[in-house]
Amino acid sequence: MIPIARPLIAEEEKQAVMEVLNSGIIAAGPKTLEFEKKFASFVGTKYAIATTSGTTAIHLGLLSLGINKDDEVIVPSLSFIASANTILFCNAKPMFCDVDPRTFNIDITKIEQLITSKTKAIMPVHLYGQSADMKPLQEIADKHGLFVIGDAAQAHGATYNDKKIGSFGNLECFSFYPTKNMTTGEGGIITTTDKEIFEKVNSIRNHGREKTKWGYEHDRIGYNYRMTDIAAAIGIEQLKKLPKFNEKRRTNAHYFDEKLKHVETPYVIQKVGHVYHQYTIKYKNRDKLINVLKENKIGYGIYYPKPLHYYSHLKKYGHSDLKISETLSEEIISLPVHPSLEKKDLEKIVKVVNRVCQHPDK
Ligand SMILES: Cc1ncc(COP(=O)(O)O)c(C=O)c1O
């Protein structure tokens, strides 16, 4: 079987975990601090705050911006459920924006029509590892006095205008789930250049504690969203390998770009460095392709089979201008692109996909 994703855990990660286990400090401690410093330095920002998951990173990020009851946050309708659920966690409203049919990212031209007096933030999702078009998006945010909180769960190392995602804007939230470009088992991290956001996130992550006070002093409602040193030790080793992992993903993607015929391959905008968390193609007769991939033991993924406004708890936020995400969710399919693929795997995927897709109606 060629899996759709495979975490690459080697001796370095195992040894790092053993060292933490032997040290006696296994919850948040020095390794978490070291990982935060290294991740901040990797993306080129001042602050990084490690969390228990990408979901809790986004939740914390929204809380740190003061997103509250009845506030509105603009978010693309094609994303993982956490992008919208975290807005609901704050009792705020997800305002769904359709996506660009070529990049699958938030359609910049449709953002402004969703802004009301209640809008507080825009949440671009850098889907599949390609940055959203951040310059025009930031211009809209600045014009209307809105925060930008990026869902960078799939975009470790991705760039926009040669700057890494996480090094600009209000804040970005990454996930380290095992299928991601790097992993800590479960985990997440927030990056920001803003000291005030950093301090707030730090406090809310740890039961609302203020750093300057003795323990067990709580100034606000908070959570336990702290990463463990066990996870951070894995993260430190994974981060060293991330540039190589991403390079291999890019090489695999370029091989597919060149060799795949009869399907629409990913469209990449000029100013971005794509990190191919997923290699997603469009194909109208998707069921047929899925059957043949299964027969040939090739993994695949549908990210995502429904736009977010189709879920029952999110239906009331749907509207008539979300057609692209609705159509795309029926046609997109992701092929394995991860760094552990071998040449023979790539050749097999190309051969099978090309054979099926040359006769779309059969
Ligand atoms: C776009 C997106 N947002 C948020 C998340 C949530 O991250 P996690 O699974 O680490 O909570 C994910 C991860 O699956 C994701 O892909």
Side-chain angles (χ1 to χ4, degrees), residues 1-8 177-183 249 276-279 298-301 303 334-341 349:
M1 181 76 192
I2 305 175
I4 181 67
R6 177 184 284 147
L8 280 169
Y177 188 72
T179 56
K180 300 295 191 271
N181 291 32
M182 61 171 283
T183 186
R249 284 177 182 274
Y276 294 98
H277 170 60
Q278 299 296 346
Y279 188 90
I298 298 172
Y300 65 91
Y303 309 110
S334 303
L335 302 172
V337 72
H338 51 86
S340 57
L341 293 177
I349 295 166

Side-chain angles (χ1 to χ4, degrees), residues 52-56 58 79-80 82-83 125 127 151 153-154 174-177 179-180 186-188 277 304:
T52 49
S53 70
T55 306
T56 54
I58 303 172
S79 186
F80 182 58
S83 314
V125 180
L127 200 67
D151 179 340
Q154 306 183 355
F174 297 82
S175 160
F176 299 123
Y177 188 72
T179 56
K180 300 295 191 271
E186 292 276 6
H277 170 60
Y304 295 90

Side-chain angles (χ1 to χ4, degrees), residues 1 4 256 260-265 279-302 330-336 348-362:
M1 181 76 192
I4 181 67
F256 287 148
L260 286 178
K261 314 288 176 199
H262 325 292
V263 293
E264 248 185 273
T265 53
Y279 188 90
T280 304
I281 59 172
K282 264 199 278 183
Y283 186 63
K284 282 205 160 51
N285 199 342
R286 186 173 69 189
D287 286 347
K288 180 178 132 187
L289 176 56
I290 287 175
N291 283 336
V292 180
L293 289 172
K294 277 184 186 160
E295 276 165 28
N296 284 278
K297 298 196 168 22
I298 298 172
Y300 65 91
I302 310 289
E330 289 173 4
E331 295 179 0
I332 46 182
I333 176 164
S334 303
L335 302 172
K348 181 175 174 185
I349 295 166
V350 164
K351 200 169 129 204
V352 168
V353 175
N354 278 346
R355 200 177 58 219
V356 184
C357 297
Q358 62 183 328
H359 302 298
D361 302 323
K362 280 192 195 163

Side-chain angles (χ1 to χ4, degrees), residues 62-104:
L62 289 166
L63 292 170
S64 76
L65 300 176
I67 304 300
N68 214 326
K69 192 171 173 347
D70 296 332
D71 288 343
E72 294 174 358
V73 179
I74 297 172
V75 64
S77 47
L78 186 70
S79 186
F80 182 58
I81 192 81
S83 314
N85 278 351
T86 45
I87 299 169
L88 296 181
F89 294 171
C90 302
N91 296 311
K93 290 184 185 163
M95 302 295 282
F96 290 122
C97 185
D98 211 359
V99 295
D100 182 303
R102 297 172 311 167
T103 63
F104 316 131

